[in-house]
Amino acid sequence: MDLLTIGEFARLSRLSPKALRLYDELGLLRPAQVDPTTGYRYYQPEQLERARLVLWLRRIGMPLATVREVCDRDPASAAAEIRAFWAEVEEDTAARRDLVTFLVDHLSRRGDPAPDIAPAAHRWAIRYAALTDAGRVRPTNQDAVLAGSHVLAVADGFGTDGAAASTAAVDAIGALESTPVAADLLNLLEDAALQANEAIRGIAESRAGVGTTLTAMLWSGTQLALVHIGDSRAYLLRDGELLQITHDHTLVQSMVDDGRLSAAEAESHPQRSLLVKALAGDPENATPDLHLHDARPGDRYVLCSDGLSAVVPDTEIRELLSAAASPEDATRELVAAAIGAGGPDNVSCVVADVVEPAW
Ligand code: MG
């Protein structure tokens, strides 16, 4: 069969001759023949399929090393690799989108005499309640909760002294209750989470495998800043709709994100509580998610441990939250629902309503 010159191959594949020379050097797309005298490269027409795949993969921003791996795989595993690459891109984009929102908001408010802190007349208040229960199976309660006029937190400890870890996490957040709320809500929360991780590192020195989740909020008067790591959750009930505003850091959730598991399969997966990130003293896996939420009067925020979300479906959580007259009633109803569903784990929740201040 006639070989194609590099010029013809470049035209047909839409890859430039310069790119083709680079891909040859990297072993990604070797020419079928190289003229020993002139050094000209020649390609077989069958190589066009691989060249087009390379072009498409480059267009989605895949690094060359990964492109080579995908090209060397069979179609099914190449498809799985592309899906996994894209899930990573989307996760990274989502994290950067949150940071962009924060930065735009932060910089837009510079010059304001009290940035990020609304004047008293424009602030709302929160009404809150917290409740935790050991459940019906576990001998001890390793969850910890906190609710105050500025901070809300749920932590779910694990390991031989999980209660010490969850208490350390909640204490680090609790210290913000008396800190004047500055412009940098997210930095305050991130620092608190890192301090908690350091404290847990100390505990883990004598008790290996100890750690905790942490889902916490800091209230500015108009905004709620959220820090989150692990599989405890935050939900928002707004206009009758329940929205989960945290992303579980579990192995099964990352498999769902990669398209390797369906949401329904994840619910009954034997390893559904295996965490990929937590505060366990290791700084590598302790980077929390951070978000900033503009609150509205009428919003009802809920933080809970997996002792609630694993056994009470979201539809029931929404109904109970919608029907409860006060945060106290809501926490009681939610904990009772988890215990009614067998109470296999410690169960905790914090509920906070955003309200017009009564003055
Ligand atoms: Mg739990």
Side-chain angles (χ1 to χ4, degrees):
M1 186 170 290
D2 286 344
L3 294 176
L4 300 169
T5 64
I6 188 167
E8 287 167 329
F9 193 75
R11 186 175 55 77
L12 292 170
S13 66
R14 295 170 192 260
L15 289 166
S16 69
K18 188 177 164 194
L20 287 170
R21 283 192 287 273
L22 173 70
Y23 298 161
D24 178 12
E25 283 162 23
L26 295 173
L28 186 58
L29 189 59
R30 296 252 190 237
Q33 197 178 305
V34 181
D35 188 301
T37 320
T38 61
Y40 279 165
R41 293 165 168 85
Y42 294 92
Y43 294 83
Q44 286 181 333
E46 292 77 23
Q47 289 183 280
L48 278 171
E49 193 177 330
R50 184 177 172 108
R52 287 187 186 125
L53 180 58
V54 171
L55 178 72
W56 291 328
L57 295 174
R58 293 296 285 154
R59 279 189 182 159
I60 63 171
M62 187 177 276
L64 283 169
T66 320
V67 168
R68 187 167 52 197
E69 258 182 55
V70 171
C71 287
D72 290 341
R73 286 172 181 236
D74 63 76
S77 69
E81 184 77 26
I82 294 169
R83 220 171 9 238
F85 163 75
W86 196 247
E88 241 176 72
V89 170
E90 288 191 327
E91 196 174 313
D92 182 50
T93 306
R96 283 189 287 156
R97 185 172 48 229
D98 290 340
L99 186 57
V100 166
T101 307
F102 166 70
L103 287 171
V104 167
D105 188 64
H106 180 63
L107 292 170
S108 309
R109 289 165 194 243
R110 281 189 58 175
D112 187 314
D116 281 348
I117 309 300
H122 297 122
R123 279 193 229 169
W124 301 305
I126 50 171
R127 284 210 201 104
Y128 49 85
L131 191 60
T132 182
D133 193 287
R136 297 171 74 171
V137 176
R138 302 280 170 97
T140 57
N141 191 350
Q142 305 209 73
D143 283 2
V145 292
L146 172 77
S149 55
H150 289 106
V151 292
L152 313 162
V154 165
D156 179 350
F158 53 84
T160 45
D161 199 358
S166 59
T167 304
V170 161
D171 285 351
I173 297 295
L176 298 176
E177 179 71 32
S178 52
T179 308
V181 178
D184 256 340
L185 297 178
L186 293 178
N187 282 350
L188 286 173
L189 278 176
E190 187 174 29
D191 288 348
L194 295 177
Q195 277 165 23
N197 197 47
E198 277 306 302
I200 291 160
R201 193 215 293 260
I203 299 168
E205 275 172 12
S206 55
R207 281 152 285 184
V210 76
T212 186
T213 70
L214 175 66
T215 301
M217 288 179 137
L218 181 58
W219 171 241
S220 77
T222 54
Q223 291 180 310
L224 274 160
L226 171 75
V227 65
H228 165 72
I229 184 161
D231 67 348
S232 297
R233 288 182 177 177
Y235 293 93
L236 166 63
L237 182 77
R238 177 179 279 177
D239 302 329
E241 295 292 321
L242 186 73
L243 185 71
Q244 186 184 330
I245 54 179
T246 50
H247 193 74
D248 293 347
H249 296 142
T250 55
L251 183 69
V252 291
Q253 184 59 52
S254 42
M255 288 167 79
V256 171
D257 297 342
D258 290 353
R260 285 183 283 151
L261 203 67
S262 73
E265 286 166 335
E267 276 177 22
S268 56
H269 196 281
Q271 289 182 305
R272 63 188 173 278
S273 59
L274 201 65
L275 300 178
V276 290
K277 278 208 277 188
L279 299 178
D282 173 11
E284 283 288 304
N285 295 312
T287 312
D289 293 343
L290 296 159
H291 304 267
L292 202 56
H293 279 264
D294 284 320
R296 282 196 220 151
D299 282 352
R300 177 167 272 181
Y301 286 87
V302 185
L303 310 182
C304 69
S305 61
D306 68 334
L308 176 74
S309 52
V311 294
V312 181
D314 284 4
T315 47
E316 193 179 339
I317 293 178
R318 187 182 62 78
E319 282 165 21
L320 293 172
L321 283 173
S322 303
S326 65
E328 288 79 6
D329 286 353
T331 53
R332 267 198 300 272
E333 292 290 329
L334 292 172
V335 169
I339 290 172
D345 192 5
N346 304 149
V347 53
S348 303
C349 59
V350 173
V351 174
D353 288 350
V354 178
V355 296
E356 302 275 2
W359 55 44

